[in-house]
Amino acid sequence: MQPFHFRLERVRRIREHLEDRAQRDWSQARDHAQLQHQALQRLESERSDAAAFGYGQMDLELRTAMYQYISVLDRRIAQQRTVVSEADAREETARQRWIEARQDRESLDKLKEKQYEEHSAERLRQEQNLLDDAAKNAQSL
């Protein structure tokens, strides 16, 4: 009997490659989202530090400058929150693409396993038939 050959092996390898690429894309999107979250945290920390410093000042000019600086930080924080939400959305989209690619590859892996089991069962049946025929021939002699 012929050795096992999965007819869709090329398709399976292509899907495996697509899964790897989708996983890399998701990883990059996740890293980018984490960087954007960290940038937002830095801005929020900077704002709280500036507020704590400014509120402790008795000088009116320093307080006025602090309010202006906090106003600028608030605008930057709002912009960064938009960037963070977009990065999170891109990450989720990339993660969904990776999950779909993984499921596509896994379905072919299961099909390959099933066909291999069928091939093995057929091979065992043929071997058993050969043994049965040999036993019959030995008895008839």
Side-chain angles (χ1 to χ4, degrees):
M1 180 170 192
Q2 297 179 10
F4 176 71
H5 175 71
F6 184 55
R7 290 177 289 135
L8 299 174
E9 184 62 32
R10 287 183 183 173
V11 175
R12 195 196 66 76
R13 279 189 273 136
I14 289 170
R15 287 198 180 164
E16 187 174 44
H17 175 71
L18 291 174
E19 177 193 6
D20 291 343
R21 184 184 310 163
Q23 187 176 18
R24 278 193 309 273
D25 291 346
W26 172 58
S27 178
Q28 290 172 351
R30 186 184 62 218
D31 292 345
H32 177 72
Q34 288 174 348
L35 289 174
Q36 297 308 318
H37 279 276
Q38 290 171 357
L40 177 61
Q41 288 175 345
R42 280 193 302 273
L43 285 172
E44 289 172 342
S45 175
E46 189 175 338
R47 186 195 186 287
S48 67
D49 291 347
F53 173 77
Y55 293 138
Q57 298 300 314
M58 293 298 170
D59 186 5
L60 192 56
E61 289 181 28
L62 279 177
R63 276 191 166 216
T64 304
M66 184 263 316
Y67 285 127
Q68 290 173 350
Y69 182 61
I70 287 178
S71 176
V72 169
L73 284 176
D74 285 340
R75 284 193 300 276
R76 289 178 61 196
I77 287 171
Q79 290 172 343
Q80 188 63 29
R81 283 187 177 142
T82 302
V83 170
V84 164
S85 66
E86 290 171 357
D88 287 343
R90 280 194 299 272
E91 177 193 359
E92 183 59 26
T93 301
R95 188 179 74 83
Q96 288 299 323
R97 273 189 253 144
W98 170 58
I99 289 171
E100 290 170 6
R102 187 182 70 205
Q103 289 171 343
D104 288 345
R105 189 221 8 111
E106 286 175 348
S107 67
L108 279 178
D109 286 346
K110 288 178 185 176
L111 179 62
K112 180 179 179 178
E113 284 179 30
K114 181 180 176 186
Q115 286 183 2
Y116 180 74
E117 288 172 6
E118 290 171 357
H119 173 79
S120 296
E122 180 62 28
R123 196 171 101 214
L124 288 174
R125 250 189 314 277
Q126 287 179 359
E127 287 176 6
Q128 188 61 45
N129 288 340
L130 286 175
L131 291 174
D132 290 346
D133 288 344
K136 283 181 186 178
N137 289 337
Q139 284 179 351
S140 64
L141 290 177

